[in-house]
């Protein structure tokens, strides 16, 4: 072959290769092709090392069929009695744990309180405790409360200090201990709940019983197909066919872990690894009692909620910086090390290698504990203290805080120092710890801790209002803290909270925007529409669905065409999210409230009845059912259908009385019954009796005292009415209705001086109100004319 022909041949070969490479790069899997679950055996073909690390991990052993190899507890005819000594002792049920060959059984109290023998079908968890699951004929799987302590080799009860009879909400056969809803999706891969509302049964399935590869990486069929192809390139549209957990944005990985490591509420079904968390779940905040006021864990939060408060999270540190992604162990711990034990500080000093004026962080000059054999020398002991949950399961606080003994002094919040140093006979008090901290590290220079505002807001202290407003503006606190401050601020009956929430609607963090939407739900309809309609277009589902839920009170015709379309779409998403929870009575109640807002009271009542079919003791559904009957009674009366109105009132009364029968100490039930009865003049005495009971049960509720006073006034029990209305004014000084009612009462009795004094107080509180000015002028004239 001549050189010329050889050159032509090589050029042709090169062009063909380039064409093949271009075709290989350009060729993609069909658009929209859905990934399917393929199982760990497919992953193991290429990823042997990762599979070996995962095998035997806590994820691998998250759940298993109960066999001689998987059961760790002693089922050798062991008896266990749930009992408690002390001021209120009880001796509960004596249960027996035993086996027959390769099958395991528990004899304990069943749904009716009588002893029954149940086969153990599954193990749940591996260390430091192992639970056992029982399957019922309707597909319900329930968690036994008798649990095996794998460290101490003993049986214990998950609620050791509580007497739990069979009709208690915490009894192991009731919904709060139901695996299908409460636990399943985080202990198995590709969990499908498969609940049938009509028959109230489950057919729950999974592709793998434990937390396997695709629980974290997502369904792998597209990845396997691409890997098995002869191409040199991954797919130009979908990459390697799996979520980019190693993406530069750390949230991709963190939010893939979060659904199973967060205390959260469901927003929408179908989360897959790589999805945005707030499109599917909404984490709990600090406005309740889940956390201490400074954000430390109080109840079990499963890590995510505390971690997103940390500086680590803000700086982009991700889960796998500290935890091996496949063994799930903390890095630098040996495979055979005791569970949960940190051997040294290498995990922290891998990154925190800096120094302060006195020396390195991993040294006495920083931690001031010279004896390395005693607690206090490991970073986690001071910055990630442990709290035990489920009796024997210690969890570290992932908010990674500096110990603050001063918060213990003023707010009763625990601090890491006094967890070890708590011998008051040696002077080891919080005051002593605070003195030591200031002696070692100097006086604090940072702003006032947000915990003071959060704690004050929880207690409704007036001085906390401005402190909370200031927290909502701070840039040095997490989105969790700002959102929590907004929710607490909204409890104050002043414009401050609404103004802060309106500002929060534009916050860059969706957690704050979602909280801001919730804060504005009591605005008048027209103002509510103007403020929240733009949030129907929010790119994050948790924000727009919350807006749709709240805006369901606004007539559909009030929206612009664009906003109306967005409202319909977002409300459909909200209802789909609730439908995914249709085994939960609360979800049906949520839907009922939306239907009531939309004006369809029949559908609202139907949803309440469904909730009560699932749980006849679910009080909120029965209360709302009674209220819906009451609303229908009002509508019938307005349209002169008096017989129907009386029938609806009777049905409402029946529901309220059933609530009181179930919960006789529930003040709101007595209050609502009193308001209902008060609509009929001939039942005023009965109404006053119910309102009196409500006032006794809720002595700090100003509105109950107000309505009780009005009922007494109508019964001409004027001295009692005066006392009740005065109480309302004292408890709710900022509510004009209360003071106005007391003014009218005095005027009715021609006590002009007292009436004038009340009106003058109203004028001082609402100086710009023309009706108040007119009322005051009238009363002054009457007072002057009085002989």
């Amino acid at each position: 072959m001549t050189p010329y022909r050889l050159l032509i041949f090589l050029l042709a070969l090169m062009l063909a290769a380039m064409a093949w490479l271009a075709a290989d790069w350009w060729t993609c899997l069909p658009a929209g092709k859905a990934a399917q679950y393929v199982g760990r055996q497919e992953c193991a073909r290429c990823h042997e090392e990762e599979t070996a690390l995962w095998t035997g991990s806590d994820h691998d052993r998250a759940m298993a069929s109960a066999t001689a190899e998987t059961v760790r507890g002693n089922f050798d005819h062991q008896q266990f009695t749930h009992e408690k000594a002390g001021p209120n002792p009880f001796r509960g049920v004596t249960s027996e744990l035993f086996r027959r060959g390769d099958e395991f059984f528990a004899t304990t109290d069943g749904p009716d309180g009588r002893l029954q023998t149940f086969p153990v079908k599954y193990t749940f968890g591996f260390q430091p405790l192992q639970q056992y699951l029982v399957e019922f004929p309707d597909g319900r799987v329930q968690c036994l409360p008798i649990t095996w302590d794998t460290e101490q080799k003993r049986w214990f009860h998950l609620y050791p200090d509580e007497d739990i009879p069979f009709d208690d909400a915490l009894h192991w056969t009731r919904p709060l201990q139901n695996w299908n809803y409460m636990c399943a999706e985080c202990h198995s891969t590709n969990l499908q709940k498969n609940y049938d509302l009509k028959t109230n049964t489950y057919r729950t399935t999974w592709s793998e019983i434990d937390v396997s590869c695709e629980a974290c990486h997502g369904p792998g069929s597209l990845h396997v197909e691409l890997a098995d192809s002869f191409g040199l390139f991954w797919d130009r549209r979908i990459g390697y066919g799996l979520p980019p957990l190693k993406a530069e944005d750390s949230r991709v990985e963190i939010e893939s872990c979060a659904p199973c490591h967060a205390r959260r509420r469901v927003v929408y079904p179908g989360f897959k690894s790589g999805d945005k968390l707030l499109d599917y779940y909404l984490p709990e905040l600090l406005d309740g009692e889940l956390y201490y006021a400074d954000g430390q864990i109080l109840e079990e939060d499963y890590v995510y909620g505390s971690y997103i408060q940390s500086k680590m999270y803000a700086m982009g540190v991700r889960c796998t910086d500290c935890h091996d992604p496949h063994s799930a162990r903390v890095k630098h711990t040996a495979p055979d090390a005791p569970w949960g034990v940190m051997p040294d500080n290498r995990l922290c000093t891998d990154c925190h290698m800096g120094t302060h004026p006195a020396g390195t962080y991993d040294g006495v000059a920083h931690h001031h504990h010279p004896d390395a054999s005693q607690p206090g020398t490991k970073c986690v002991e001071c910055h990630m203290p442990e709290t035990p949950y489920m009796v024997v399961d210690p969890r570290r606080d992932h908010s990674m805080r500096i110990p603050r003994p001063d918060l213990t002094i003023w707010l009763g919040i625990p601090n890491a120092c006094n967890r070890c140093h708590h011998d008051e006979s040696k002077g080891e008090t919080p005051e002593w710890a605070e003195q030591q901290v200031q002696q070692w590290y100097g006086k604090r220079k940072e702003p006032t801790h947000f915990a003071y505002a959060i704690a004050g807001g929880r207690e409704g202290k007036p001085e906390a209002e401005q402190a909370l407003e200031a927290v909502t503006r701070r840039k040095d606190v997490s989105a969790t803290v700002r959102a929590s401050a907004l929710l607490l601020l909204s409890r104050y009956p002043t414009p401050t909270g609404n103004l802060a929430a309106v500002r929060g609607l534009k916050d860059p963090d969706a957690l704050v925007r979602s909280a801001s939407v919730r804060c504005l739900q009591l605005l008048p309809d027209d103002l509510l529409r103007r403020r929240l309609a733009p949030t129907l277009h929010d790119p994050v589902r948790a924000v727009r669905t919350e807006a749709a839920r709240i805006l369901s009170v606004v007539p559909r015709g009030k929206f612009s065409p664009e906003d109306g379309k967005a409202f319909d779409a977002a409300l459909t998403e909200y209802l789909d999210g609730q439908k995914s929870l249709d085994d939960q009575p609360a979800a049906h109640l949520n839907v009922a409230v939306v239907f009531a807002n939309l004006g369809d009271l029949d559908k609202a009542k139907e949803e309440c009845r469904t909730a009560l079919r699932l749980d006849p003791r679910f009080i909120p559904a029965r209360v709302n059912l009674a209220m819906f009957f009451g609303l229908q009674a009002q509508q019938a009366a307005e349209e002169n259908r008096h017989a129907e109105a009386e029938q609806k009132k009777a049905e409402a009364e029946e529901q309220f009385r059933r609530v009181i029968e179930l919960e006789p100490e529930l003040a709101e039930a007595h209050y609502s019954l009193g308001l209902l009865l008060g609509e009929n003049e001939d039942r005023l005495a009965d109404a006053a009796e119910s309102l009196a009971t409500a006032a006794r049960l809720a002595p700090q509720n100003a509105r109950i005292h107000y309505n009780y006073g009005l009922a007494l006034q109508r019964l001409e029990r004027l001295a009692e009415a005066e006392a009740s209305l005065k109480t309302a004014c004292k408890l709710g000084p900022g509510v004009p209705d209360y003071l106005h009612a007391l003014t009218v009462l005095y005027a009715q009795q021609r006590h002009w001086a007292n009436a004038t004094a009340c009106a003058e107080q109203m004028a001082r509180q609402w100086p710009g109100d023309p009706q108040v000015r007119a009322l005051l002028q009238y009363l002054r004239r009457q007072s002057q004319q009085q002989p």
Side-chain angles (χ1 to χ4, degrees):
M1 182 180 293
T2 64
Y4 177 74
R5 288 185 176 182
L6 179 61
L7 179 62
I8 295 295
F9 174 75
L10 291 175
L11 285 173
L13 187 62
M14 185 181 300
L15 288 172
M18 292 175 63
W20 181 81
L21 288 172
D24 181 38
W25 176 84
W26 182 258
T27 302
C28 299
L29 294 176
K33 185 173 184 179
Q36 306 297 323
Y37 288 86
V38 296
R40 75 181 69 131
Q41 69 283 349
E42 287 293 322
C43 308
R45 288 195 291 126
C46 297
H47 302 285
E48 294 181 6
E49 181 180 350
E50 291 81 1
T51 302
L53 285 166
W54 171 85
T55 301
S57 69
D58 286 349
H59 282 165
D60 178 19
R61 297 183 287 199
M63 182 172 167
S65 296
T67 67
E69 291 74 31
T70 61
V71 171
R72 303 192 74 188
N74 182 355
F75 278 78
D76 186 17
H77 290 280
Q78 298 292 299
Q79 289 196 338
F80 178 85
T81 300
H82 178 209
E83 59 186 345
K84 170 182 176 286
N88 299 298
F90 64 80
R91 183 174 177 85
V93 175
T94 295
S95 304
E96 183 178 11
L97 296 309
F98 64 97
R99 63 184 293 179
R100 295 176 188 150
D102 290 335
E103 296 182 309
F104 298 83
F105 299 87
T107 298
T108 190
D109 57 328
D112 57 1
R114 292 182 296 181
L115 287 178
Q116 300 178 47
T117 297
F118 301 93
V120 172
K121 187 158 187 179
Y122 304 108
T123 64
F124 207 55
F126 188 77
Q127 60 183 5
L129 57 95
Q130 187 175 69
Q131 291 179 267
Y132 301 97
L133 307 181
V134 171
E135 185 174 48
F136 285 79
D138 59 2
R140 233 167 279 271
V141 177
Q142 302 292 132
C143 303
L144 285 165
I146 306 165
T147 305
W148 183 250
D149 179 344
T150 64
E151 305 302 307
Q152 299 298 319
K153 311 299 182 188
R154 66 183 180 96
W155 291 104
F156 69 96
H157 198 284
L158 284 174
Y159 303 96
D161 296 326
E162 297 186 51
D163 184 14
I164 306 176
F166 71 94
D167 57 351
D168 190 285
L170 280 177
H171 192 263
W172 74 275
T173 61
R174 290 180 60 78
L176 287 180
Q177 306 298 329
N178 173 244
W179 166 88
N180 309 73
Y181 166 70
M182 297 291 291
C183 321
E185 66 176 331
C186 288
H187 281 253
S188 299
T189 302
N190 186 26
L191 195 287
Q192 302 297 318
K193 186 168 58 174
N194 294 332
Y195 174 72
D196 187 329
L197 178 61
K198 185 179 294 185
T199 60
N200 192 18
T201 58
Y202 293 90
R203 293 182 299 101
T204 304
T205 63
W206 55 74
S207 57
E208 294 181 88
I209 196 171
D210 50 14
V211 180
S212 195
C213 311
E214 292 166 294
C216 301
H217 292 282
S221 63
L222 299 184
H223 175 70
V224 171
E225 184 175 345
L226 290 168
D228 284 345
S229 69
F230 292 102
L232 295 178
F233 300 100
W234 294 111
D235 193 287
R236 63 184 172 84
R237 287 194 301 227
I238 63 170
Y240 51 85
L242 293 173
L245 299 183
K246 295 181 180 179
E248 184 176 351
D249 184 357
S250 62
R251 292 193 182 201
V252 178
E253 178 188 301
I254 295 169
E255 294 188 2
S256 293
C257 301
C260 291
H261 290 275
R263 191 78 169 260
R264 75 301 192 266
R265 290 180 284 138
V266 172
V267 172
Y268 196 75
F271 179 91
K272 294 288 191 301
S273 182
D275 288 337
K276 291 183 177 179
L277 183 71
L278 266 66
D279 279 339
Y280 296 88
Y281 300 100
L282 190 64
E284 297 291 344
L285 301 176
L286 311 186
D287 56 315
E289 300 300 325
L290 181 60
Y291 299 89
Y292 288 104
D294 68 340
Q296 286 189 78
I297 53 174
L298 174 57
E299 299 297 330
E300 193 167 16
D301 84 324
Y302 306 107
V303 174
Y304 175 79
S306 52
Y307 183 61
I308 60 174
Q309 301 175 51
S310 71
K311 290 184 178 180
M312 296 283 199
Y313 175 76
M315 296 299 291
V317 177
R318 63 187 73 203
C319 311
T320 55
D321 287 329
C322 299
H323 299 268
D324 184 276
H326 299 102
S327 70
R329 297 184 66 88
V330 174
K331 292 181 178 179
H332 298 306
T333 57
D336 57 347
W339 188 88
V341 173
M342 292 283 292
D344 49 44
N345 287 329
R346 281 178 296 162
L347 178 67
C348 303
T349 56
D350 280 349
C351 296
H352 296 275
M353 298 176 66
T355 62
H356 58 80
T360 65
Y361 288 118
D362 189 13
V364 175
H366 177 65
H367 56 62
H368 297 276
H369 289 72
D371 188 348
S373 67
Q374 297 296 316
T377 62
K378 294 176 183 175
C379 308
V380 294
E381 290 166 343
C382 297
H383 299 291
M384 298 181 68
E386 289 181 331
T387 301
Y389 298 102
M390 301 181 80
V391 183
V392 300
D393 190 359
R395 305 284 178 89
R396 293 203 178 276
D397 192 317
H398 279 64
S399 57
M400 300 176 216
R401 301 178 184 279
I402 296 172
R404 293 289 300 258
D406 59 315
L407 298 183
T408 308
I409 296 169
W410 294 105
L411 301 175
I413 295 170
N415 71 84
C417 305
N418 290 118
R419 286 175 183 259
C420 293
H421 300 280
H422 48 70
D423 189 344
E424 293 191 5
S425 67
K426 297 180 180 178
E428 294 177 342
T429 63
E431 289 78 6
W432 165 82
E434 173 64 9
Q435 185 180 17
Q436 290 296 119
V437 168
Q438 292 201 23
Q439 179 182 327
W440 292 339
Y441 306 110
K443 290 189 176 181
R444 297 183 183 86
K445 299 178 182 179
E446 62 265 26
T448 301
H449 200 290
F450 64 81
Y452 293 98
I454 297 293
R458 288 176 176 179
E459 297 176 15
K461 292 182 177 179
E463 62 270 23
E465 181 178 5
Q466 291 305 315
L468 287 167
E469 199 278 340
V471 171
T472 67
R473 295 177 179 272
R474 286 175 60 171
K475 304 299 183 185
D476 63 323
V477 298
S478 67
T480 296
V481 172
R482 298 200 311 278
S484 303
L486 282 168
L487 290 171
L488 291 168
L489 189 58
S490 70
R491 300 178 185 178
Y492 290 82
T494 67
T496 305
N498 288 341
L499 293 173
V502 169
R503 189 174 65 249
L505 293 175
K506 298 180 180 179
D507 195 277
D509 196 292
L511 202 58
V512 177
R513 298 200 302 276
S514 175
S516 299
V517 169
R518 209 183 325 167
C519 291
L520 296 171
Q521 60 186 326
L522 297 181
L523 289 178
D525 288 2
D526 193 51
L527 185 57
L528 186 69
R529 177 186 57 79
R530 294 206 305 272
R531 294 299 189 198
L532 293 191
T535 63
L536 293 168
H537 305 272
D538 197 281
V540 177
R541 189 181 283 122
V543 180
R544 61 179 182 263
T545 55
E546 184 71 359
R549 178 187 70 81
I550 293 170
L551 285 169
S552 62
V553 301
V554 177
R556 179 65 171 75
K558 296 273 186 166
F559 292 105
S560 69
E562 183 181 1
D563 289 341
K565 185 177 179 181
F567 169 77
D568 291 341
L571 188 63
T572 298
E573 287 182 303
Y574 174 79
L575 294 175
D576 286 344
Q578 298 304 305
K579 183 175 174 55
S580 72
L581 303 171
D582 60 357
D583 56 340
Q584 298 305 300
H588 292 280
L589 177 58
N590 292 339
V591 174
V593 171
V594 168
F595 280 136
N597 291 343
L598 296 173
D600 196 335
L601 290 175
D602 286 332
K603 282 189 176 180
K605 291 188 324 188
E606 181 182 342
E607 290 292 338
C608 283
R609 288 194 175 102
T610 299
L612 292 170
R613 175 168 65 85
L614 298 178
D615 184 0
R617 298 179 64 89
F618 185 49
I619 299 299
R622 201 171 293 281
V623 169
N624 277 270
L625 179 59
M627 293 173 64
F628 297 151
F629 275 122
L631 289 172
Q632 288 186 320
Q634 291 178 10
Q635 292 175 354
E638 290 169 0
E639 297 170 5
N640 296 319
R641 293 180 280 116
H642 299 296
E644 182 183 343
E646 291 305 312
Q647 177 194 348
K648 298 296 184 185
K649 281 184 184 180
E651 291 180 283
E653 180 180 351
E654 178 189 354
Q655 294 300 327
F656 279 131
R657 293 200 181 279
R658 291 188 67 182
V659 170
I660 292 169
E661 184 180 321
L662 291 168
E663 291 285 349
E665 301 298 303
L666 186 62
E668 286 297 324
H670 292 278
Y671 174 59
S672 298
L673 178 60
L675 294 181
L676 177 72
L677 296 175
E679 295 176 9
N680 289 8
E681 287 294 326
D682 59 348
R683 302 202 64 182
L684 267 180
D686 293 336
E689 182 180 350
S690 291
L691 292 170
T693 302
R696 175 178 60 80
L697 294 172
Q700 300 303 310
N701 189 311
R703 184 149 290 273
I704 290 177
H705 288 284
Y706 164 69
N707 280 285
Y708 181 38
L710 295 181
L712 292 169
Q713 182 180 3
R714 290 166 65 191
L715 289 168
E716 298 187 357
R717 292 160 56 180
L718 301 182
E720 295 173 82
E722 179 185 2
S724 192
L725 290 173
K726 280 184 174 179
T727 300
C729 292
K730 182 179 179 180
L731 294 172
V735 183
D737 290 352
Y738 305 161
L739 200 53
H740 181 265
L742 186 59
T743 305
V744 171
L745 176 67
Y746 285 136
Q748 179 186 355
Q749 301 175 77
R750 297 181 177 277
H751 295 168
W752 302 115
N754 289 343
T756 302
C758 288
E760 287 173 344
Q761 185 177 343
M762 292 172 65
R764 287 192 296 272
Q765 287 186 285
W766 301 283
D769 192 320
Q771 293 181 331
V772 172
R773 288 201 303 269
L775 175 63
L776 178 58
Q777 291 171 2
Y778 168 76
L779 292 172
R780 281 173 173 168
R781 287 196 302 270
Q782 295 298 324
S783 184
Q784 292 168 359
Q785 294 171 9
Q786 185 177 21

